[in-house]
Amino acid sequence: MMTTAIVVSGSTHALGVVRGLGRRGVPVAVVTYDRRDIATSSRFVRDVIRTSHPDRCEAQFVGSLLEAAHRYPGSLLVPSSDAALGAIARHKTSLEDAGLIVAVDDHEVIDVLLNKAKTYDLACFARVPVPATFAPSNVEDVRRFCEFAGFPVVLKPTLSHIYHELVGVKWTRVESVEEAVRGYAVARSLSLEVLLQELIPGDELCGAVYNSYFWNGEPLVEFTSRKIRNSPPETGSPSVVVSEWLPEVAELGRRLLRAAKFSGYSCTEFKLDPRDGEYKLMEVNARHNLSSLLATRCGLNFPWMQYKHLVDGLVPVQRDYEQGIYWIDVTRDVQNLTHYLRRPGYSVGNFLEPYRRSHIFAVLDCRDVGPAAVRGVDAVRVAAGRIRKRMNRPKPGAAVRTLG
């Protein structure tokens, strides 16, 4: 019997881990706190453990992990969301004492990489370019920064997973002082710290990703890719990515993670600034990322490497990987078809190009149909809800009945 892997959270991020391990024969259990999770429906999942969201009830969440440790002694614990990552890092010692092999770096390191203000400070120390960034303490600070930076600017939370949970987006683009002040007030009303940052010009094609497995601050395996489309286009996460070796991006990623003395798998995102030709740091995800199946398809199965290293002591080594392979999240990509077709010079052929080339889908897989079926049902349910809401909306000028 192979050691069980406990994958925390069952979103698309987790699905890449589940499939990467499951196809190697690893028994997988998923700890989930979201009813819309799709990875729980994978044929590779042998057990589903439901718990509370770590940002809402951390004690109960950790208690569920300790119960899982009792159920699966000696298991490998792998988080695939920032919320799970932070909670597991804070309780790493107690989880290890319970017998789990925790695939998370120490809390001091994770705290720096989760908190964007600390991450940008680290980047400056490591000589990694970052966008002009300012941490406001009050409304007047917001106004002063806007006068200096001009518009548009980005209002970015220091802890993006909490902001996304409460506000619904990872960051907010603001076009005026009033919008910046309003966004700041919303964040402060939720007790969230935010940064103000210049918006790097350029579309999604300027985005680049550095995936790597580090140990004791040194890279063992590296993989880079380039973004093709986002969902939503302006403020969302990737919906189409292509594998491509980007040596400049790899060097910046190495520099940053060495400075952090990081160990483990991470995904570091950059954006090319067309004004000076420099790649600038966007964020670090110190856990498995949305498009992790792309590296697996190209020949670098990071979840399996991590498993073999932490469970069996086999140190991963760099291998060549296929370039020009696309990763496509079909559902999210198609939602933005009309947006892209409105762009000057953008055609249906441009949109379909990744589908014509060698690719792997984020969710759809004829050998593991459960996650796609669950997502399809959920998409229909959401669409039906929107239609009902639209139909029940009062028509302009319609009479309103009153009692009395």
Side-chain angles (χ1 to χ4, degrees):
M1 288 290 293
M2 298 182 73
T3 297
T4 296
I6 302 172
V7 182
V8 186
S9 178
S11 63
T12 309
H13 304 70
L15 183 58
V17 181
V18 168
R19 286 175 173 168
L21 294 176
R23 289 201 169 105
R24 292 286 187 162
V26 177
V28 178
V30 170
V31 174
T32 177
Y33 48 81
D34 186 348
R35 65 178 181 81
R36 298 177 65 181
D37 280 348
I38 59 174
T40 55
S41 302
S42 171
R43 71 182 181 89
F44 298 110
V45 175
R46 302 190 182 185
D47 189 14
V48 176
I49 301 167
R50 303 195 180 277
T51 186
S52 300
H53 195 293
D55 288 336
R56 297 176 194 152
C57 189
E58 185 170 304
Q60 188 171 344
F61 171 77
V62 174
S64 297
L65 298 183
L66 293 173
E67 290 178 12
H70 179 73
R71 191 183 307 183
Y72 301 105
S75 296
L76 177 68
L77 181 64
V78 185
S80 61
S81 72
D82 284 342
L85 174 68
I88 290 172
R90 286 188 289 274
H91 297 271
K92 182 179 179 180
T93 300
S94 61
L95 292 168
E96 288 180 332
D97 288 345
L100 292 172
I101 304 170
V102 181
V104 172
D105 207 338
D106 293 337
H107 174 246
E108 294 78 13
V109 177
I110 296 302
D111 179 58
V112 170
L113 298 181
L114 274 178
N115 186 304
K116 287 185 172 52
K118 296 179 181 180
T119 302
Y120 291 132
D121 286 343
L122 176 68
C124 292
F125 170 78
R127 296 178 294 107
V128 173
V130 299
T133 305
F134 178 67
S137 299
N138 51 53
V139 171
E140 288 308 311
D141 283 347
V142 174
R143 295 184 186 277
R144 278 194 293 270
F145 179 86
C146 291
E147 291 174 3
F148 161 75
F151 292 101
V153 297
V154 173
L155 189 143
K156 183 177 287 189
T158 56
L159 297 173
S160 59
H161 63 286
I162 299 178
Y163 187 83
H164 186 272
E165 178 73 18
L166 297 176
V167 182
V169 294
K170 293 179 68 175
W171 53 273
T172 302
R173 173 178 172 143
V174 295
E175 302 282 355
S176 67
V177 175
E178 291 72 23
E179 284 186 13
V181 169
R182 188 161 54 247
Y184 176 78
V186 169
R188 295 304 299 135
S189 71
L190 299 170
S191 300
L192 299 176
E193 299 292 334
V194 295
L195 303 172
L196 289 169
Q197 190 175 81
E198 67 171 333
L199 180 66
I200 302 296
D203 59 19
E204 299 82 3
L205 295 174
C206 295
V209 180
Y210 173 67
N211 296 342
S212 61
Y213 189 79
F214 266 63
W215 201 250
N216 294 327
E218 289 299 322
L220 300 181
V221 183
E222 301 173 302
F223 174 90
T224 59
S225 57
R226 183 165 51 84
K227 296 182 182 181
I228 302 299
R229 288 192 288 266
N230 283 349
S231 178
E234 300 296 334
T235 60
S237 52
S239 58
V240 180
V241 179
V242 64
S243 60
E244 180 179 334
W245 177 243
L246 303 168
E248 184 178 354
V249 169
E251 175 54 32
L252 293 173
R254 285 184 210 120
R255 201 181 295 170
L256 180 66
L257 295 175
R258 277 172 175 154
K261 299 180 181 178
F262 180 71
S263 289
Y265 176 85
S266 65
C267 162
T268 307
E269 298 186 19
F270 296 89
K271 186 173 182 180
L272 181 66
D273 190 336
R275 299 169 299 182
D276 56 19
E278 283 191 323
Y279 279 101
K280 295 181 178 174
L281 177 68
M282 294 291 103
E283 64 178 348
V284 181
N285 300 300
R287 38 80 183 161
H288 292 277
N289 57 308
L290 187 64
S291 58
S292 62
L293 275 175
L294 175 61
T296 300
R297 164 63 181 81
C298 294
L300 297 179
N301 187 337
F302 280 106
W304 175 241
M305 291 179 195
Q306 185 178 49
Y307 180 93
K308 293 295 288 180
H309 185 211
L310 299 181
V311 174
D312 297 332
L314 184 63
V315 179
V317 295
Q318 182 70 50
R319 301 185 183 91
D320 291 336
Y321 63 86
E322 285 190 75
Q323 299 185 46
I325 308 297
Y326 289 84
W327 172 90
I328 307 169
D329 192 333
V330 180
T331 307
R332 296 169 58 247
D333 191 37
V334 172
Q335 287 175 347
N336 301 287
L337 171 61
T338 55
H339 173 93
Y340 283 101
L341 293 181
R342 286 196 296 267
R343 291 185 175 181
Y346 206 97
S347 66
V348 173
N350 296 135
F351 191 87
L352 294 177
E353 185 68 14
Y355 295 83
R356 294 178 179 141
R357 304 282 185 174
S358 295
H359 61 265
I360 184 170
F361 290 124
V363 179
L364 183 62
D365 188 331
C366 62
R367 298 167 297 173
D368 186 23
V369 298
V374 170
R375 177 181 268 196
V377 170
D378 186 63
V380 170
R381 185 183 297 116
V382 171
R386 288 174 179 168
I387 292 172
R388 284 194 300 270
K389 187 175 180 180
R390 204 173 292 128
M391 291 177 63
N392 294 333
R393 189 180 301 156
K395 295 180 180 180
V400 179
R401 291 185 60 188
T402 59
L403 298 176

